[in-house]
Amino acid sequence: NSISDWALQFIRTADTSVNCLPSMHIALSLSAALSINLESKKNGAVAFIWFALISYSTMATKQHYFYDFVAGILLVAASGIFLKKSAID
């Protein structure tokens, strides 16, 4: 048993089984990546890689399902549309 096996088991034990729709891991990391990308394309590229790694890890560790991932992205899209519309009005 390695340290990573122990850490994953600890996360699964300590984390509640009520992670659900939408994944805030996805929504917040995507929001951050989009915001960073507005300021710097180079740093934005790094942030999108970080978003991809967070996305992978939430599903690889079975903390979320694919539809939680999709819902997190849709939440960011809907928020963006709302904010853009609010800024126009």
Side-chain angles (χ1 to χ4, degrees), residues 28-87:
L28 294 175
S29 61
L30 179 56
S31 295
L34 290 168
S35 297
I36 292 167
N37 192 57
L38 289 174
E39 296 297 319
S40 166
K41 298 297 180 195
K42 180 181 172 187
N43 291 338
V46 173
F48 280 113
I49 291 169
W50 191 252
F51 162 71
L53 292 171
I54 289 172
S55 299
Y56 171 76
S57 71
T58 58
M59 287 189 278
T61 59
K62 298 185 174 155
Q63 296 299 303
H64 287 285
Y65 297 105
F66 181 72
Y67 55 83
D68 300 331
F69 168 82
V70 172
I73 291 174
L74 291 175
L75 176 63
V76 172
S79 298
I81 292 167
F82 174 76
L83 290 172
K84 198 176 258 190
K85 195 170 194 169
S86 295

